[in-house]
Amino acid sequence: MSSLILRAGTRILAPTMLLFSVFLLWRGHNLPGGGFIGGLVATSAIALQGIAFGPASVRRTLVFPPATIAGAGVLIAALSALPAALAGLPFFTGLWLKLNLGDGAVLPLSTPLVFDIGVYLTVIGGVCALIAALEEEPALEDQDTGG
Amino acid sequence: MELPLVLLIGLLTAVATWLMLSRNLIRLLLGFAVLGNAVNLSIFVAGRLTRDAPPLVPLDAETIAGAFANPLPQALVLTAIVIGFGLLAFALVLAWVAYERLGTVRTDEMRVAEPPEEKA
Amino acid sequence: MMAGWLAAFVLVVPILSAGATTLAQGAPRLQGWLSLLGSYVLLVVSVALLLVVLRDGMVVLQSGNWAAPFGITFAVDSLGAVMTVIAAITGAACLTFGLGEIGEAERRAWFHPLSHVLLLGVCGAFLTGDLFNLYVWFEVMLIASFGLMTVGGTKAQIDGAVKYVALNLVATLMFLLAVALIYGLTGTLNFADIARSVPTVSNVGLLTAAATLLMAAFGMKAAVFPLFFWLPAAYHTPLVSVSAVFAGLLTKVGVYALIRAFTLLFTHDPGWTHTLLLWIAGLTMVTGVLGAAAQTEMRRILSWHIISQIGYMVMGLALATPLGLIGSVFYLVHHIIVKANLFLIAGVAARLTGSMELKRIGGLYRSAPWLGVLFFIPAFSLAGFPPLSGFWAKLVLVRAALEIGSWWIAAAALVTGLLTIYSMTKIWAEAFWKPHPAGEAAARPLGEAPTVMLLPISALAAGTVVIGLFAQPFYVVAERAALELLDPASYIAAVLGGAK
């Protein structure tokens, strides 16, 4: 599909959506938002780019294959459960590190945030893999009959 | 508020049952999607319907003042929706592959994996 | 605290394996090693967990430090720990076997990551102490099994997968509906909290209906009469290493869930639930073994036998006596090892002769006599020959039935055992004894099968012999698991003790 309006719109919309998805990821846990919904918003941005500029440009944007991103996300999410062991607390206990930035501003870093980043990546990787499989159907068919 | 929802659940279940009794794989999957909604609604109703504040703790407080809605069914339904979506997506792709490879979506014609019929 | 972390590692290890093998998708050799490493580490961790549970009693893990019943609880009693060890053994054996079986196309279809996700789902289901969490683990297991079922993508696999997927989708929704009803009635989803609330529920009729719905959902997973038709339609189609994991583990997760639900949660109306289970058990045994008698394809015969064996496990549960539950637990352990092994052996036999179809093969006794020995051990253990593991399992169950005067179920169990011998001798006579229809050279010697395939088979066969010859320690563990199952109060105390 090569619509000029869509392409021009996407150039503005996709980056905005990606930024918004990071905002949702960051704000999550104690407020509405989180890794899952952030990942979905990011994926919509990527899908929009795919519709406007084609699958090849999506592959360039993602750099890594979608499945690799999903795998890394799963690893990060699983690892976020482990620091609690060092603190002698049960599995998955949230640990918070509040960095004081001065002027009363506090930057809360936590294992739930790490978990959310893992979920964020898993959702992006997983859904992009799905979309890629549907978009590049002929290639998938060849692979399928090969087995 | 329970009664209309319960009636809706009943209606959805009836529609889903009718769809799932079909020999057509696509109808069966549509039936699964509809039945999934009926089940999710019943989890929602099982958590008791109240018209209270959303279950969010304000930024400057430790607890919510006053009555608030039960957040657990929402979490459960959200999980169930995501899982149901994943299963349905897989099942639809499978139906598509089955149509491509076996040339049919009718379940009574899918007999590749069955032993050949004995000639009487 | 450390024990809780051990339970957590049973879940973390397969997640890490799944993630790592996904990342190593581009490096075949590395992926294979990571996959094996993951499965053996899981085995070590689960054995350690079992030892801790046997030494110190139940391990309870309140994930995220949220006290039960508010957080997600993992509660590991002897049964859960034993099942986890058996799952890890099956996983390690089948992944080892898989190294010899799968080619590049199967590997590219995500065989290794999916296998670890499957193990994750199975282990999660064995460890969890929360009904909704059990649902989630079931789905994790289910989606991985969908993927594994179609690895290879042959027509027969697609056909089998359609039936498998359709029936399992229905079972999923029945489970979820039962969850909704139970949540509505008791206001909680934590196993211990449900068990505590069940006696106070006033609407007993609806509670029994929910219990029966749960029985149907778990029964469909476990493939009991009359909900078993998906199993023989699907289990003979996937890769051998996949179908061995399915045959060994997946239906047994259903049996485990039945045992958990009808010893801990729903003991309020045994006149209905346990009588129903006893009838189901008897009919499952007999229909399964009769179905097997009519088949001529090795894996289809074995699939029907899974069904009949499930009947034995449900029978012990339905009797609800200490001896009956000991029999069920012992049978679960024995059956998973034996059945996974039989599927693997059928895979090797088909590789050496060219087919799973008994009419088209033969001559294995002449070309590969040691495979005959390896087949003989699990096959006759399955049929219940002394002194193999199946004999003790059946002996305990039949004694349990006679103890409470259920003559007909004991008779059904014995007749099923006899008919099992018929099927096993049929495979023996057709695949091993009879000459190969395509001439003597068509049956290859055992040396042509890869060593990675023969190692797990030999190890599992050795396990069967050991359980048979040294049954006492296994019996003691099964007895302990059964006594814990019959004492829900201590489970409730262990989980909710902190919350009061």
Side-chain angles (χ1 to χ4, degrees), chain C residues 44-68:
Chain C
V44 172
V45 174
S46 59
V47 168
L49 178 64
L50 175 64
L51 292 177
V52 169
V53 169
L54 289 181
R55 194 188 65 196
D56 303 339
M58 244 177 97
V59 171
V60 177
L61 166 67
Q62 314 284 10
S63 63
N65 214 3
W66 292 95

Side-chain angles (χ1 to χ4, degrees), chain A residues 67-79 81-86 88-94 143-147, chain C residues 1 4-5 8-9 11-12 15-20 22-23 61-65 74 105-106 108-110 150 152-154 158:
Chain A
T68 308
I69 297 175
V74 169
L75 278 182
I76 292 172
L79 291 176
L82 302 183
L86 300 177
L89 290 165
F91 184 53
F92 256 125
T93 307
Q143 196 186 56
D144 198 50
T145 43
Chain C
M1 190 56 59
W5 272 94
F9 273 116
L11 304 176
V12 171
I15 298 178
L16 292 181
S17 313
T22 307
L23 289 179
L61 166 67
Q62 314 284 10
S63 63
N65 214 3
F74 292 92
E106 287 84 9
R108 287 177 63 90
W110 308 100
T150 49
T154 63
I158 304 290

Side-chain angles (χ1 to χ4, degrees), chain C residues 179-264:
Chain C
V179 169
L181 288 177
I182 292 165
Y183 179 58
L185 285 168
T186 64
T188 179
L189 291 166
N190 183 292
F191 280 160
D193 210 20
I194 297 175
R196 197 176 55 176
S197 316
V198 156
T200 63
V201 170
S202 54
N203 194 343
V204 179
L206 191 56
L207 189 68
T208 307
T212 313
L213 201 58
L214 210 55
M215 192 193 293
F218 293 158
M220 206 182 273
K221 306 268 182 198
V224 298
F225 181 90
L227 305 166
F228 59 79
F229 291 99
W230 58 270
L231 192 147
Y235 269 24
H236 63 292
T237 57
L239 300 174
V240 173
S241 31
V242 171
S243 65
V245 176
F246 284 19
L249 282 183
L250 290 198
T251 48
K252 260 56 74 182
V253 181
V255 175
Y256 167 84
L258 278 175
I259 292 179
R260 187 61 78 204
F262 291 96
T263 56
L264 178 61

Side-chain angles (χ1 to χ4, degrees), chain C residues 267-285:
Chain C
T267 47
H268 64 287
D269 188 9
W272 161 249
T273 51
H274 287 68
T275 311
L276 183 62
L277 279 171
L278 196 60
W279 279 100
I280 289 174
L283 288 166
T284 308
M285 277 191 257

Side-chain angles (χ1 to χ4, degrees), chain C residues 58 75-83 126 128 191 195 255-267 274 313 316-318 320-330 332 477-492:
Chain C
M58 244 177 97
V76 195
D77 60 356
S78 301
L79 177 65
V82 167
M83 296 300 290
F126 290 151
T128 188
F191 280 160
V255 175
Y256 167 84
L258 278 175
I259 292 179
R260 187 61 78 204
F262 291 96
T263 56
L264 178 61
L265 307 185
F266 304 110
T267 47
H274 287 68
M313 298 163 210
L317 166 65
T321 61
L323 204 56
L325 280 165
I326 293 171
S328 277
V329 176
F330 200 101
L332 273 167
V477 173
E479 186 178 27
R480 173 146 173 197
L483 293 180
E484 285 178 11
L485 287 172
L486 287 170
D487 181 20
S490 60
Y491 184 102
I492 297 172

Side-chain angles (χ1 to χ4, degrees), chain C residues 385-463:
Chain C
F385 267 54
L388 295 162
S389 58
F391 169 72
W392 302 108
K394 284 200 172 70
L395 180 73
V396 173
L397 280 172
V398 170
R399 277 199 54 179
L402 294 180
E403 206 174 57
I404 60 164
S406 294
W407 298 99
W408 65 272
I409 194 88
L414 291 174
V415 170
T416 306
L418 283 176
L419 289 171
T420 308
I421 301 177
Y422 166 73
S423 284
M424 290 303 127
T425 36
K426 182 164 74 180
I427 297 184
W428 175 260
E430 295 279 330
F432 287 87
W433 204 246
K434 161 190 99 173
H436 198 291
E440 210 168 281
R444 316 301 309 166
L446 192 58
E448 291 193 11
T451 318
V452 284
M453 287 188 167
L454 299 179
L455 276 177
I457 293 178
S458 314
L460 291 177

Side-chain angles (χ1 to χ4, degrees), chain C residues 5-50:
Chain C
W5 272 94
L6 210 50
F9 273 116
V10 170
L11 304 176
V12 171
V13 169
I15 298 178
L16 292 181
S17 313
T21 47
T22 307
L23 289 179
Q25 178 76 353
R29 287 183 63 87
L30 177 66
Q31 189 187 34
W33 284 114
L34 281 174
S35 181
L36 270 196
L37 178 72
S39 68
Y40 286 100
V41 171
L42 177 64
L43 184 56
V44 172
V45 174
S46 59
V47 168
L49 178 64
L50 175 64

